Amino acid sequence: IIAYQSLAFIARLSWGERKYDGFFMRRYAYSARYPVLYLGAETGHWNDGLYAHLRLMLTQHANLGMGGTLTYALQAGAIFGKVPNTMLWHADGNQGFAYDPYRFTFLHGGQIMADKYVTLQTEWNGMGILFNLIPGIRWLHLRELVEAKIAYGYCNPKQYSISNPQGNLYAEVGVGIGN
């Protein structure tokens, strides 16, 4: 049994972003000019020692004018101190049939474990730049979608005994049609 106690701090920094404040709820209207920065720090104690987990995430939903929209999320993090494999960072795999832009579609949970990691998720929505040129298809309001996702994780071989201590690289590219 693994028992741990932790203290976490998460900050969200945004510039030039409009928001709506409701009753205990805040809704954001994303800014296309500036990215949003998320900072996270967690420290704690588990059965065998202390650990710290630092995270950084940069996201942006950019309007490309006639070229559609580009959404990206860049995330990096590191875990300091030895933790059990269940407390390492795991790449988020797809758990169901619904599409999630921040999960890896063909990756199962636990395939990539790391104490230092970097991920990049990008999605381009063409907003009909090609399908609007086809007569008769324009009224369907079809949109071109292209996505690319990359994850790289590294585990310190001195601390962990996992199958691939040199590092794991995973990438996937997808093309689709949306409405």
Side-chain angles (χ1 to χ4, degrees), residues 43-121:
T43 185
H45 177 270
W46 69 285
N47 296 358
D48 289 341
L50 299 172
Y51 74 95
H53 186 177
L54 300 176
R55 296 180 200 109
L56 173 87
M57 184 174 181
L58 189 69
T59 64
Q60 187 174 10
H61 183 80
N63 188 355
L64 303 176
M66 294 293 291
T69 61
L70 178 69
T71 305
Y72 70 87
L74 176 65
Q75 181 179 7
I79 298 173
F80 303 98
K82 186 174 180 179
V83 295
N85 288 350
T86 56
M87 290 176 65
L88 288 171
W89 174 80
H90 295 79
D92 291 328
N94 193 6
Q95 301 298 318
F97 296 107
Y99 170 74
D100 186 350
Y102 298 108
R103 291 185 178 271
F104 294 93
T105 307
F106 295 110
L107 192 66
H108 299 290
Q111 278 188 288
I112 297 180
M113 295 185 299
D115 61 355
K116 291 166 191 58
Y117 58 91
V118 174
T119 65
L120 175 66
Q121 289 110 350

Side-chain angles (χ1 to χ4, degrees), residues 126-148:
M127 302 300 286
I129 195 170
L130 298 175
F131 288 121
N132 286 346
L133 299 175
I134 303 172
I137 301 294
R138 182 179 312 153
W139 64 274
L140 293 174
H141 300 289
L142 297 177
R143 308 288 184 246
E144 307 83 9
L145 303 171
V146 177
E147 71 172 7

Side-chain angles (χ1 to χ4, degrees), residues 17-35:
E17 189 171 51
R18 291 177 290 168
K19 62 185 179 293
Y20 166 75
D21 285 324
F23 185 71
F24 290 115
M25 186 179 353
R26 181 176 286 171
R27 305 263 181 186
Y28 295 100
Y30 292 104
S31 168
R33 294 186 64 196
Y34 304 107

